[in-house]
Amino acid sequence: MHITQLNRECLLHLFSFLDKNSRKSLAKTCHKLLEVFQDPLLWSLLHFRSPAELKKDNFLLGPALKYLSICWYSERVKVCNIEDWMKNNFQKDFCNRHENTVNDFLLEVCNRCPNLLSLTLSGCGHVTDDCILLLLKNCPNLKTLKLENCVRITDQTLEAVTLYGGSLQTLHVDFCRNITQTGLERVREKCPSVMLRAERSANMIPDNKPEKKVMLEKASRRWVQL
């Protein structure tokens, strides 16, 4: 029996066991398998291991997407976590290549995936508060939001959760160094039903702009002189 003789339901089940590249390769063999590849039901879950994967054409975004994760655990993530004003030219060049990649992708999700239920971002050092705010607004059914090692995420995201996260049940903001205890307490106060976890976040050293650091150093010197 040839694979194309299987019915649509069986083909979708078989495709579900394949990774994105294998699905794309199989879809190139005939029109029937291409139609299966393009079926929205096949794309309810997407997992990416680096920003580079977001630029490939081996997946589809649509209303059927329910679960999305972008988890980048490469050593190169450390470069993105360096404060912008401390990066050397090589580090800036590296970040410039993908600085807007995840944000742009999430904006597409906002526009095309209103039924998203779960979002996990790990090691996405360039994701911004504004992007998460838009996602909360455009994906009102979002129940799980997990952010790990996303250094640009601040209390503004926590405030957005209190305003637009009406369906949210689980919120993780682990190792996000610009999250404060004040922001966490506000979420606990405004959204008591949300299961909140913030491993190390409020205990990490937050970013300070250079002018703030200078002011702190001057204040310290004055205190010592006194």
Side-chain angles (χ1 to χ4, degrees), residues 193-210:
S193 62
V194 173
M195 294 179 60
L196 176 62
R197 191 181 80 184
E199 186 176 346
R200 296 286 300 277
S201 290
N203 297 322
M204 300 177 77
I205 299 174
D207 294 347
N208 288 308
K209 293 183 178 180

Side-chain angles (χ1 to χ4, degrees), residues 15-221:
F15 264 75
S16 70
F17 290 98
L18 303 177
D19 60 32
K20 295 187 289 295
N21 285 331
S22 298
R23 291 178 183 181
K24 183 67 174 181
S25 298
L26 191 56
K28 292 179 179 179
T29 60
C30 71
H31 289 296
K32 184 172 182 178
L33 295 181
L34 176 60
E35 290 177 359
V36 176
F37 176 84
Q38 294 173 337
D39 193 319
L41 294 177
L42 186 63
W43 303 103
S44 62
L45 183 152
L46 283 173
H47 176 67
F48 300 93
R49 294 178 177 83
S50 76
E53 291 186 11
L54 302 176
K55 296 183 177 181
K56 295 183 178 180
D57 63 346
N58 58 1
F59 62 91
L60 295 180
L61 280 182
L65 182 63
K66 301 291 182 62
Y67 307 94
L68 171 63
S69 65
I70 306 171
C71 300
W72 195 23
Y73 298 118
S74 167
E75 283 293 313
R76 291 174 289 178
V77 171
K78 294 179 180 179
V79 177
C80 300
N81 289 346
I82 299 172
E83 297 176 31
D84 290 340
W85 52 86
M86 294 180 65
K87 291 175 183 173
N88 58 38
N89 289 334
F90 173 80
Q91 292 165 334
K92 289 179 181 178
D93 180 64
F94 171 78
C95 287
N96 285 340
R97 298 174 199 168
H98 64 266
E99 183 170 6
N100 297 316
T101 301
V102 178
N103 281 326
D104 290 346
F105 180 81
L106 290 177
L107 291 178
E108 285 293 313
V109 171
C110 289
N111 294 327
R112 299 164 64 178
C113 311
N115 300 312
L116 190 69
L117 297 178
S118 175
L119 173 65
T120 299
L121 301 176
S122 181
C124 299
H126 298 294
V127 170
T128 63
D129 293 315
D130 290 342
C131 192
I132 300 299
L133 183 148
L134 283 175
L135 192 133
L136 287 167
K137 282 185 174 181
N138 288 277
C139 302
N141 300 318
L142 192 69
K143 297 182 183 300
T144 300
L145 177 60
K146 296 182 179 180
L147 306 173
E148 179 187 28
N149 202 13
C150 297
V151 296
R152 292 193 181 185
I153 295 301
T154 72
D155 286 357
Q156 291 182 37
T157 286
L158 300 182
E159 183 65 21
V161 165
T162 66
L163 296 174
Y164 307 108
S167 299
L168 211 61
Q169 297 175 356
T170 301
L171 173 64
H172 292 178
V173 282
D174 300 330
F175 298 92
C176 297
R177 66 174 179 248
N178 290 302
I179 293 292
T180 71
Q181 194 62 47
T182 301
L184 295 173
E185 289 300 328
R186 181 165 176 78
V187 173
R188 292 189 178 100
E189 177 188 351
K190 297 290 184 180
C191 310
S193 62
V194 173
M195 294 179 60
L196 176 62
R197 191 181 80 184
E199 186 176 346
R200 296 286 300 277
S201 290
N203 297 322
M204 300 177 77
I205 299 174
D207 294 347
N208 288 308
K209 293 183 178 180
E211 57 267 23
K212 287 187 177 181
K213 291 182 178 180
V214 172
M215 291 173 64
L216 288 172
E217 289 174 0
K218 288 180 178 179
S220 298
R221 293 195 197 102

